[in-house]
Amino acid sequence: FVDSEIHDTLAAVGRGKDSSTEWFCPKLKRLLMAYARHNRRVGYCQSLNYLGGIVVIVVEREEDCFWLLVAILDNLLPKTYYG
């Protein structure tokens, strides 16, 4: 995935480009990389950064972010949405 998408996500989810970048962008990148390794069939798809960005803002612990993203993608969205 493209690092610029991660920076664009910060502005899109309503945080603006401020000091939040220091924690938000690295945390989001780790989340997306972890998911890509977890589900190699999907890997990273464009727009996962927006869903992941919201999860990162709402959930503090990174492991919880990961499992919430997995639950959303595996159980709530249609199976072919990212696939």
Side-chain angles (χ1 to χ4, degrees), residues 22-67:
E22 294 175 17
W23 65 268
F24 178 86
C25 294
K27 187 175 177 181
L28 177 57
K29 185 173 184 175
R30 288 189 298 271
L31 173 63
L32 296 174
M33 289 176 64
Y35 185 78
R37 288 184 188 121
H38 170 76
N39 188 337
R40 293 189 186 272
R41 184 180 56 81
V42 172
Y44 173 76
C45 291
Q46 191 173 9
S47 82
L48 270 178
N49 56 311
Y50 295 109
L51 184 57
I54 294 168
V55 169
V56 163
I57 288 172
V58 174
V59 179
E60 187 173 338
R61 288 187 57 231
E62 288 192 37
E63 184 176 357
D64 294 339
C65 289
F66 172 76
W67 290 115

